[in-house]
Each structure stands twice: as C-alpha cells, then as structure tokens.
Amino acid sequence: SDCTLDPAFNSATTEYSCTVKNNISNVNVNATATSTKSKVRGLGAKDLVEGKNTLPIRVIAEDGSEKIYNINITRKQALQNVSIFGKKFEVIDAEPTLTTSSNNTTDASGLYASTDTNTGKPTYYFRGNVNNNYVSFAGQTWRIVRVNEDGTIRIVMQDGINNNADIRFNLNNDDNHNYTYSYYTNSNAKTTLESWYQTNIESKKNLANSVATGAYYCEQAKVKPYDSWTSGNAVMTTYDKYTPDFKCESDGNGKGVVSSSVGLLTYDEVVYAGGYYVKDNSNYYLYNSAIYWCTMSPAGFSGSTSGIWYIDNNGHISLYNATGSIKLRAVLNLKADIQISDGDGSKNNPFVVE
C-alpha cells in the first residue's frame, strides 16, 4: 500500500515506478505468476536507500526462459528541519494543491519545500493558516513568506504602506490602455513603494543594513485570466491550466527579474501561500479582511483593459485594472545572517529584528 505502481500492471510492460516517503525504509514485494508452472524470484522484504531503488522480479517459465520486471522505487530524501531566526521548523513532506481551480482546505499548514526555482536549490515557503511566522521590523508587523535559495528571508507587510493608503498602480488616464501599463517597472506603485522604503528604512542605517538588495523580485507576465487575453510578445498561460513556480525569466517583452531592495509578491507566491483565483479563502496567512492589495504580476491585456493580479478582502485572487487604486503590501528580503533580539514568531511575540 506504500507503493502504487505506475503504470498499472500489464504482463507486457516490464518497467514500473513509484515514490515513497522518506520514512518508508523497506517494502515487501509480492507477485504471483499467472502459470502455476512458473517460478517467481526477487520477492520478500527489501530495504530502500534514499533515491532510486531498482528491484528486479524474475519470472522463470517451465522451459527455463526468463522475463524480468523492474520495480523502480524512489525513496524521498530526508527533509531536515529548517532554522529561521534560530527557531526550528519541520518541513512538511507532502505535495500541496497548487492548481488554481482546486481547493486546498485539506493541505496541512506549515513550511513546505520547493526546488522549482531558477537555481534548482530549495526555497522553503509557508502555506496555509500558519501562526508562527510573524516579524516585527521598522515599526511594522510582517509575515515570513519564505526562505530564499540563498538563505535570505522574504517578508511581506501585514498591511498596506502609508497607513493602508489607496495608491494607483499606474497613473495613465487615457482610454488607450496597452499591455505595458501592467508592468511594475512602468508603474506608480514602484515609485511610491521605493519612496516609502527610502523614508522608512533606507534613511535609517540600522534598518537598511538588515535588508538584502538584488534580483529578488519578478514582474514576468506568466498567467492570465482568460484565453483571449495577451501581453505583447509574452507567452502567458490561462490560470486553470497554470501550475506556479518560483522561477523568473525575461518574457517576450523583455520583462522579468527586478533588482531592488523592496517590491511586491507575485501571483505564484500567493498561490503557494494558499490563495486561488476567485475562490474565497480566509484560512491562509496572507488573508487580510480589511484591504484589497495587489501583486506585481501582470494579468495581461484585452480591449481597453490592462490588468494586474490582486487579492480581495475575501482572500481570493482576481483581476484588477492596472490604472485603479489599491493597497501595497511591501516585500523585503532580510539578510541571511540577521539576528533577532526577541520573539518566537507568534502573533503576540513576533520575531523582533532591530
């Protein structure tokens, strides 16, 4: 029961595979020949090492001829606990529900790992209704989103900047929208966010020294709400056919990685956290019933509308007009060697970064 063969058994097929969790260190191989005059070898208890294990089963016919069936069992690598600000977090050994047309209510809340990154190195991300990822920094409450591949710690503000001010993403007022309005680097949101950062963090050396600057942000046009929507030369996938990842590259419009000290979350990161397209969800840590807030991910263009992805006060992801006003939840990446002065990550006792 720990190993379900893929494909299902067929006497003409000789190669099979399955994957088991790391805590499965052995399996019991059972097989029965269709002919009572045939012999089967290679049965019984088999120990498994981490990684791929090939278990041959030999079927010997009455005339002495042999046929070998290989069972290729992959035992997952052990996931070690991850230390964040000196606190150990156990990584959940399960595959989350990442298709945005599905419901994630059965997914466990906690820390997950993904190697769907540009480097292939793991990023460790929080998902679901976690309550131990609170951070106090620069006079604001933040939530830990993930540990990046380089060990820096990505955090998102619990509320919007400038006391939850409504901020226009793009300032263009004309009726002739085009896809360029949806990109963060063309936006008023970027200008406003960087001004907020300069005033509240960059001008204060003790705070600025804690923040990593670099290629941590992504404005690549990847996912769209409808098949008919486009974004210049970018190749986009409709949301119900899309599986998120943590990768970022230049799209067909030359837009992708954004190097900065401050930015916004992406559509992908919200899905990894537990958000879904037009599906209400109050049961994940990014949910904020008080505000509508936007990502830095373009949603494409159609007719006279240029879109961005946003999250409403019911917790669902949806389409927003790029020239509309919305809240900005700032995102920072704290340096990997940052020490905390206090806290355990809970709401009432957050990790304190000074």
Side-chain angles (χ1 to χ4, degrees):
S1 61
D2 292 323
C3 182
T4 302
L5 295 183
D6 183 27
F9 181 76
N10 183 307
S11 60
T13 303
T14 57
E15 294 287 331
Y16 299 88
S17 63
C18 75
T19 300
V20 298
K21 295 181 178 180
N22 179 264
N23 63 352
I24 306 298
S25 59
N26 60 75
V27 294
N28 194 50
V29 179
N30 294 307
T32 304
T34 55
S35 171
T36 57
K37 297 180 180 180
S38 296
K39 299 177 181 178
V40 181
R41 299 288 183 264
L43 307 181
K46 306 293 179 182
D47 291 333
L48 301 177
V49 299
E50 289 184 351
K52 185 177 180 180
N53 300 260
T54 299
L55 308 180
I57 299 175
R58 297 166 51 222
V59 179
I60 306 170
E62 184 180 15
D63 62 4
S65 61
E66 291 189 11
K67 190 170 187 176
I68 298 177
Y69 295 88
N70 287 321
I71 311 298
N72 300 299
I73 301 177
T74 299
R75 180 185 174 193
K76 289 185 176 181
Q77 300 290 322
L79 291 174
Q80 298 179 349
N81 290 342
V82 174
S83 178
I84 304 176
F85 295 135
K87 181 176 180 176
K88 297 293 185 181
F89 290 84
E90 183 178 348
V91 178
I92 294 173
D93 185 16
E95 294 297 326
T97 309
L98 295 178
T99 53
T100 54
S101 58
S102 302
N103 189 291
N104 73 338
T105 53
T106 60
D107 288 355
S109 295
L111 192 68
Y112 288 74
S114 173
T115 54
D116 287 329
T117 60
N118 279 6
T119 64
K121 295 179 181 179
T123 182
Y124 299 96
Y125 64 94
F126 283 101
R127 177 173 177 81
N129 195 22
V130 294
N131 55 17
N132 54 2
N133 66 339
Y134 285 86
V135 174
S136 176
F137 177 65
Q140 301 288 340
T141 299
W142 307 73
R143 307 298 291 272
I144 301 172
V145 177
R146 59 185 175 115
V147 179
N148 298 317
E149 302 98 290
D150 63 358
T152 53
I153 299 171
R154 190 167 176 86
I155 59 175
V156 60
M157 192 184 290
Q158 179 71 8
D159 294 299
I161 65 169
N162 299 338
N163 296 313
N164 278 331
D166 284 318
I167 297 163
R168 289 188 62 189
F169 187 85
N170 191 294
L171 290 178
N172 286 283
N173 289 313
D174 61 84
D175 294 328
N176 299 313
H177 285 208
N178 63 71
Y179 70 87
T180 64
Y181 292 9
S182 300
Y183 281 109
Y184 175 75
T185 49
N186 299 335
S187 74
N188 174 62
K190 178 178 184 291
T191 303
T192 306
L193 195 58
E194 290 178 348
S195 176
W196 172 89
Y197 178 81
Q198 198 286 324
T199 299
N200 292 275
I201 296 176
E202 190 173 38
S203 63
K204 302 170 183 178
K205 187 175 181 181
N206 63 316
L207 298 178
N209 286 341
S210 298
V211 179
T213 299
Y216 292 108
Y217 304 96
C218 183
E219 64 172 344
Q220 180 185 354
K222 300 170 73 174
V223 58
K224 57 186 178 179
Y226 308 107
D227 291 341
S228 60
W229 280 51
T230 61
S231 182
N233 294 317
V235 176
M236 304 179 74
T237 303
T238 308
Y239 80 94
D240 57 351
K241 306 177 186 72
Y242 182 74
T243 301
D245 57 50
F246 291 104
K247 298 176 182 178
C248 187
E249 60 186 22
S250 292
D251 60 25
N253 301 317
K255 299 287 191 177
V257 173
V258 177
S259 185
S260 183
S261 299
V262 63
L264 300 171
L265 291 181
T266 64
Y267 175 99
D268 298 69
E269 288 176 314
V270 177
V271 174
Y272 274 106
Y276 288 89
Y277 179 63
V278 295
K279 288 186 179 294
D280 292 352
N281 185 5
S282 61
N283 206 31
Y284 71 121
Y285 73 92
L286 291 179
Y287 168 73
N288 187 328
S289 62
I291 61 173
Y292 287 49
W293 54 280
C294 72
T295 71
M296 64 190 297
S297 296
F301 174 77
S302 179
S304 60
T305 302
S306 50
I308 56 173
W309 291 109
Y310 87 108
I311 296 80
D312 77 356
N313 60 352
N314 292 310
H316 76 234
I317 304 172
S318 194
L319 170 68
Y320 202 77
N321 193 314
T323 60
S325 296
I326 198 164
K327 274 74 172 175
L328 305 180
R329 293 176 70 172
V331 173
L332 307 175
N333 296 278
L334 300 177
K335 293 178 180 177
D337 58 356
I338 287 299
Q339 301 295 312
I340 63 170
S341 62
D342 195 14
D344 60 9
S346 62
K347 183 177 182 179
N348 295 326
N349 190 22
F351 297 119
V352 178
V353 179
E354 296 179 340

